[in-house]
Amino acid sequence: MTYIELQFPFTGKTLPSDHGYGLYGAISRVIPEAHSADWLAIETIPGAARGDGITQLDPQASLKIRIQQDRVPLILKLAGKRLEVDGHAIRLGAPQIFLLKPATTLYARIVTIKGFTEPEPFLDAVCRKLDELGVKGEPVVGPRRVVRVGNHTVVGFALAVHDLSDECSIILQEQGIGGRRRMGCGIFSPIFVDSVIGEPPKRIKEAHQ
């Protein structure tokens, strides 16, 4: 099954900085089938943190949702809808639809694996997950991050994976690593600059040649 990414433009200025869970809840209220759907991956929307728990959204950004192609008609129901997220609101436009493209370096802002909250055991768990997917690459763990899921706080880490073949790159973008992909975790995308992980610029550039 082919996976695609829908990118919804939006109007709206702010969201909570930790809005993955709230955004998932807002989408589920519009599309009840999205609740507990293991086929759904929703990226959080980037912006500039104000320092008070609120993020000023990047007006050039979009809401990105990654799904199997046969789910497109369902997710298109979001077009034109207003999403209420913890006291903030955005309104979505009509999305553009893209096929996933391979890159030798992929990056996830946060990956969570249950029971692994320290860097070294987390890296070992990542390597096992990659083996299970049949993906060969070089994982590099970044800073610890936390997300709120309901009344719980979940610990994860930023993660880059280098030296991916085209096939492995697509598999990792389709399947991700760890849980809570509906809430913005474990979603991998190509990157141009990795100032968070701190890898040499040369390697990042090679990912997009």
Side-chain angles (χ1 to χ4, degrees), residues 106-129:
L106 297 177
Y107 173 74
R109 181 183 176 277
I110 181 171
V111 173
T112 64
I113 302 176
K114 187 176 181 179
F116 295 92
T117 59
E118 296 298 328
E120 291 188 9
F122 176 81
L123 179 58
D124 291 339
V126 167
C127 291
R128 290 192 293 272
K129 296 288 187 183

Side-chain angles (χ1 to χ4, degrees), residues 90 129 160 177:
I90 60 172
K129 296 288 187 183
I177 292 177

Side-chain angles (χ1 to χ4, degrees), residues 82-95:
R82 175 185 170 92
L83 302 181
E84 297 280 349
V85 183
D86 298 330
H88 301 254
I90 60 172
R91 185 174 295 278
L92 303 182

Side-chain angles (χ1 to χ4, degrees), residues 130-142:
L130 291 173
D131 287 343
E132 291 171 7
L133 292 173
V135 170
K136 297 185 182 300
E138 179 188 345
V140 179
V141 177

Side-chain angles (χ1 to χ4, degrees), residues 86-103:
D86 298 330
H88 301 254
I90 60 172
R91 185 174 295 278
L92 303 182
Q96 292 183 290
I97 300 176
F98 298 92
L99 292 172
L100 301 180
K101 294 183 178 181

